[in-house]
Amino acid sequence: MADSGINWEDAFANAAYIDGGAGYPDTWAARAAAFRASANGQCDLSYGADDRETFDLFLPDSPPKGLSVFIHGGFWLAFGKSDWSDLAQGAVNRGWAMAIPQYTLAPGARIGEITNQVGAAISQAATLVAGPIHLSGHSAGGHLASRMICEDNPLPALVSSRVRNVVSISGVHDLRPLRLHTMNQSLRIDAAEAHSESPVLLDRRAGPKFTAWVGENERPEFLRQSALLAEAWRHGGQTQLKLDPGRHHFDVVDGLKCPDHPLTQYLLDM
């Protein structure tokens, strides 16, 4: 690929531009563990043969209104389901189940393979919870959530028909720039995969609502990525772009912990 002159290493950097950024992963893990200690849930449910092909399912006290899903980020290279358990709190308090899957991290899997794993995780969770399915994901997880409503999504037709709403939170929707980043030594994105796995280059399935949700204080590339998909999909169905005031890449997901936060409302409202 020709060099665009843009510093793509810096464009996707987040921690260096967030006060105390390096400390967030420990905070996420600690608050997730505290939530799991008292939550009504089932952990380490299997959806495949790989050790990473598992998900946690958190349940309300009454029969769920439907299944919500949160897909973690980390550039397909880092983190797991147990870093984000507390993000189920808002959905559970609203009477929804929330599944939080994890997947094989690169370089152990290519992004296309990860897309298929997430589809399998959602399909397995869908056998445990009836009703509509609403999807969310953060950063790389936003990419994976968006892929679930592309025309070539990996979901079985019956599961796909239950997906009513998707919220991509600061998602990575155009993979082409990542080919110019050093992380591509592990991701191994080639030209074909950059096209086949970039939602901005794919048609979306008609029907589900889609929101590109992004923090107002995000790095310019993440703002661009969200705006790009909202524009690309604006003729494919009910699509919107929402800026979360004052939020950056590491705290933009926090609204999912609160049942009354607009982020939770956009995810769960029909």
Side-chain angles (χ1 to χ4, degrees):
M1 293 180 63
D3 190 339
S4 64
I6 297 172
N7 183 345
W8 291 110
E9 299 293 318
D10 184 68
F12 287 99
N14 287 300
Y17 292 89
I18 295 171
D19 186 29
Y24 272 82
D26 288 343
T27 298
W28 294 328
R31 73 186 194 187
F35 176 81
R36 283 196 307 279
S38 60
N40 176 21
Q42 305 170 44
C43 293
D44 301 318
L45 298 171
S46 175
Y47 68 86
D50 190 272
D51 289 344
R52 292 273 307 186
E53 291 182 313
T54 59
F55 66 97
D56 295 343
L57 182 65
F58 299 101
L59 299 165
D61 293 332
S62 57
K65 297 177 181 178
L67 173 66
S68 62
V69 179
F70 176 78
I71 307 165
H72 74 82
F75 287 115
W76 311 271
L77 293 164
F79 301 119
K81 59 183 177 58
S82 297
D83 294 297
W84 312 98
S85 309
D86 55 317
L87 298 186
Q89 185 168 355
V92 168
N93 286 356
R94 290 273 300 270
W96 286 67
M98 178 171 273
I100 304 181
Q102 61 185 13
Y103 43 83
T104 303
L105 300 175
R110 299 280 294 268
I111 290 178
E113 295 172 302
I114 294 170
T115 295
N116 289 331
Q117 286 184 319
V118 169
I122 294 168
S123 299
Q124 181 62 27
T127 68
L128 303 176
V129 180
I133 299 172
H134 291 199
L135 307 178
S136 63
H138 175 236
S139 198
H143 159 268
L144 294 165
S146 302
R147 282 289 285 115
M148 297 303 117
I149 57 167
C150 293
E151 286 284 3
D152 66 341
N153 73 75
L155 298 173
L158 184 58
V159 176
S160 184
S161 69
R162 290 172 55 189
V163 176
R164 308 289 174 77
N165 191 20
V166 173
V167 180
S168 175
I169 307 166
S170 303
V172 182
H173 307 126
D174 181 1
L175 305 188
R176 292 171 294 182
L178 292 171
R179 296 185 63 207
L180 296 168
H181 195 287
T182 55
M183 75 175 78
N184 203 40
Q185 295 170 12
S186 294
L187 297 176
R188 298 172 290 155
I189 303 168
D190 57 21
E193 189 169 53
H195 188 280
S196 66
E197 289 298 322
S198 290
V200 298
L201 302 177
L202 303 173
D203 291 331
R204 61 166 288 184
R205 186 173 69 81
K209 295 192 297 183
F210 176 78
T211 301
W213 184 282
V214 64
E216 181 184 46
N217 294 339
E218 296 263 5
R219 303 280 289 129
E221 178 59 13
F222 287 92
L223 291 165
R224 184 190 77 88
Q225 292 261 346
S226 291
L228 192 63
L229 188 56
E231 175 64 21
W233 281 3
R234 67 189 177 96
H235 295 303
Q238 191 173 344
T239 299
Q240 54 195 338
L241 173 67
K242 290 294 180 180
L243 293 180
D244 196 342
R247 297 288 186 171
H248 54 64
H249 197 72
F250 287 175
D251 66 6
V252 69
V253 293
D254 286 356
L256 290 176
K257 298 192 297 180
C258 177
D260 298 322
H261 192 277
L263 177 55
T264 301
Q265 293 172 353
Y266 270 84
L267 172 61
L268 300 182
D269 288 350
M270 306 294 283

